[in-house]
Amino acid sequence: MATAPKEAENAIGLEEIHTEGKEPPKGQKTFTVEEAVETIGFGRFHIMLFLIMGSTGMVFFGYMVFSIVLGLLADRYGRWKILLLSFLWAAYFSLLTSFAPSYIWFVFLRAMVGGGVSGHAQGLIIKTEFLPTKYRGYMLPLSQVFWLAGSLLIIGLASVVNPSIGWRWLIRIASIPGILLILVFKFIPESARYNMTTGNTAVALATLQRIARMNGVAMPEGQLREPAKERRGRFKDLIHPKYLRTTLQIWIIWLGIAFAYYGVILASAELLERDLVRGSVAPPLQDSGDDSEESHSPCHCHFFGPAAYQTMIISTVGEIALNPVNLLSINLLGRRLSLCITMGCTALFFLLLNICTSSAGMVGFLFVLRALVSANFNTIYIYTAEVYPTTVRALGMGTSGSLCRVGAMVAPFISQVLMSASFIGALCLFSSVCIVCAISAVTLPIETKGRALQQVK
């Protein structure tokens, strides 16, 4: 094979090489790795190293940057347009990713995919703005079912496609549902609330009449009343005295929830490999039996076996395990208290991971923890969509999503770096952040349970 020498050369730094130690000749100068590192100093190599290692979070970076931009545009030019743009954008760059000729291109294209995905939050906003007050607390949490279905579908697809025809075809096949959804966008109307803020009363009325006909009910009697005109999509409205405290606390909660959510996911493998699992033995790596080029890549990657995919499915199902309880909680106790309780429980279960238990016990802790952090996300999504007026609702969601990605990008350093140095220290940090979020949640100045959506500030 022509590329074999090159691959072997690249693999030198990735494999453990056993050599017999040889004593240097007498009088010859020697130095340690530490001395060499200090002498070489900082330069282009280190810049490249940091760029490459940091690139693993480029999807989150793309989401962080474009979340604010698309939220701003959605408040100014409409939710429907931005949602359609984000679907087209994500589908296009996702397909391009499957043709990436190098790692640098792969990282860049994944960042672009993240930018497109950030606009999908406008779908939640459209649903929020069309749902009656008494149904929002029940219907919006059910959106998580579709997330679960998609997650299970991609895991099942990966277990079949990855070992047979590779990751590039996995990405291409996974892009098909997003492309098909674009074809039905003409059936999705623009938000009537948004049209009212722009003065398009006739369009808003026509949309409402169409929905009333579909539901088989009559429109209210009288004329559709226009709200007072206000400028849309202004950052200063988010920090207006009426919303300043709410905005700051929401940002803290979003950052903390994402920090905990991705911390649980990234730390799972680390947790199960530790001595906390009494009497467990790590299973040997499975040989896929594949002789393809990808199986002999310089990175020496191994395909997941059936057990690995089974574990992924179990942990993913955990994300919806508390959905019925969460649904009842946010409707009976309110958004603030419900979020406070689940965040407090999340803090507790992070500390419980330090208990020496069986493998099944550890998986059980991780399952509950995954369910709790998912419930946290569910509640804060609903609260954020409900608390802001229509003029800045998309921007409020966009800035919150941006802070969310900051938490997501910090999580790997704690769950994989700090956890290796101080296990209990990492768990205490995750737990402390959750406690801060719980306090921020219960002290939020506005409760949105049973509250009508505000049209203007």
Side-chain angles (χ1 to χ4, degrees):
M1 187 174 177
T3 58
K6 185 178 180 181
E7 289 184 355
E9 181 182 350
N10 290 339
I12 289 175
L14 300 173
E15 292 183 328
E16 183 180 359
I17 301 177
H18 300 280
T19 58
E20 294 183 4
K22 295 181 180 179
E23 289 292 331
K26 236 179 180 183
Q28 183 176 345
K29 289 185 177 181
T30 63
F31 60 87
T32 65
V33 173
E34 175 68 18
E35 291 169 341
V37 169
E38 294 300 323
T39 303
I40 292 170
F42 186 87
R44 286 182 296 176
F45 166 80
H46 302 86
I47 295 173
M48 288 297 297
L49 180 64
F50 271 76
L51 289 175
I52 292 172
M53 297 308 296
S55 66
T56 56
M58 286 302 289
V59 173
F60 292 146
F61 179 76
Y63 193 113
M64 180 183 70
V65 173
F66 286 97
S67 183
I68 298 177
V69 175
L70 295 181
L72 179 67
L73 295 176
D75 275 330
R76 293 188 178 181
Y77 302 107
R79 287 82 161 100
W80 186 90
K81 295 174 184 175
I82 300 304
L83 185 61
L84 175 60
L85 173 64
S86 69
F87 266 86
L88 289 169
W89 186 323
Y92 175 71
F93 282 105
S94 183
L95 280 175
L96 282 186
T97 301
S98 68
F99 297 98
S102 65
Y103 177 72
I104 298 299
W105 271 107
F106 179 87
V107 169
F108 170 75
L109 293 171
R110 293 313 292 175
M112 292 296 100
V113 171
V117 172
S118 68
H120 291 184
Q122 303 311 314
L124 177 70
I125 292 177
I126 289 178
K127 288 185 290 186
T128 302
E129 293 181 341
F130 275 122
L131 279 170
T133 303
K134 68 177 181 179
Y135 290 105
R136 286 202 306 269
Y138 294 100
M139 296 305 298
L140 291 178
L142 292 178
S143 301
Q144 197 176 18
V145 174
F146 296 96
W147 174 271
L148 173 68
S151 299
L152 293 176
L153 178 62
I154 195 63
I155 293 172
L157 192 64
S159 67
V160 175
V161 175
N162 238 8
S164 55
I165 53 179
W167 64 269
R168 295 182 185 272
W169 276 103
L170 175 64
I171 292 177
R172 292 164 191 162
I173 296 172
S175 301
I176 294 175
I179 297 172
L180 294 178
L181 279 175
I182 296 171
L183 303 178
V184 301
F185 256 76
K186 65 178 181 179
F187 298 105
I188 303 174
E190 177 59 272
S191 166
R193 293 178 186 270
Y194 168 77
N195 279 326
M196 290 299 292
T197 64
T198 63
N200 292 331
T201 308
V203 177
L205 180 60
T207 298
L208 295 172
Q209 289 173 337
R210 171 190 164 193
I211 296 173
R213 285 195 302 270
M214 289 181 66
N215 288 358
V217 296
M219 287 282 290
E221 294 182 1
Q223 187 176 359
L224 184 60
R225 185 172 63 252
E226 294 188 36
K229 295 293 189 297
E230 282 196 15
R231 292 187 62 184
R232 309 176 308 280
R234 296 189 301 178
F235 282 99
K236 69 177 184 178
D237 289 337
L238 290 179
I239 55 175
H240 184 276
K242 183 178 179 180
Y243 290 104
L244 176 59
R245 180 180 160 189
T246 300
T247 296
L248 294 178
Q249 289 183 229
I250 283 178
W251 286 350
I252 291 172
I253 295 169
W254 271 94
L255 192 152
I257 288 177
F259 179 66
Y261 179 83
Y262 289 101
V264 171
I265 294 174
L266 295 171
S268 295
E270 177 75 17
L271 291 168
L272 293 174
E273 288 173 0
R274 296 183 63 85
D275 293 335
L276 295 175
V277 182
R278 189 182 295 128
S280 64
V281 179
L285 288 173
Q286 296 185 0
D287 186 2
S288 66
D290 182 24
D291 202 35
S292 65
E293 182 179 350
E294 289 186 357
S295 68
H296 294 287
S297 69
C299 293
H300 300 281
C301 298
H302 295 267
F303 287 121
F304 282 166
Y309 285 110
Q310 184 180 6
T311 302
M312 291 173 67
I313 290 174
I314 292 173
S315 62
T316 302
V317 171
E319 292 202 10
I320 203 171
L322 288 182
N323 192 266
V325 177
N326 184 228
L327 188 147
L328 292 175
S329 176
I330 62 178
N331 285 284
L332 296 177
L333 304 178
R335 283 51 161 162
R336 295 180 300 182
L337 183 56
S338 177
L339 183 57
C340 175
I341 292 172
T342 53
M343 287 302 307
C345 291
T346 304
L348 174 62
F349 270 85
F350 264 116
L351 296 179
L352 290 178
L353 290 177
N354 193 47
I355 296 176
C356 184
T357 182
S358 65
S359 178
M362 180 59 67
V363 171
F365 281 144
L366 291 174
F367 181 88
V368 175
L369 198 50
R370 189 81 176 257
L372 286 168
V373 293
S374 181
N376 295 333
F377 252 133
N378 207 18
T379 307
I380 195 59
Y381 258 113
I382 295 170
Y383 182 86
T384 306
E386 292 179 330
V387 75
Y388 289 114
T390 303
T391 51
V392 289
R393 185 166 294 121
L395 181 58
M397 185 69 80
T399 55
S400 299
S402 181
L403 266 294
C404 169
R405 302 309 139 182
V406 173
M409 287 189 286
V410 173
F413 293 97
I414 307 304
S415 61
Q416 296 179 333
V417 179
L418 178 59
M419 189 167 283
S420 298
S422 175
F423 184 70
I424 187 63
L427 294 182
C428 286
L429 180 57
F430 280 119
S431 183
S432 299
V433 170
C434 291
I435 291 172
V436 170
C437 291
I439 296 172
S440 297
V442 78
T443 58
L444 282 166
I446 302 172
E447 173 58 70
T448 61
K449 174 193 170 187
R451 176 177 178 259
L453 293 182
Q454 306 299 298
Q455 188 71 3
V456 293
K457 177 166 63 68

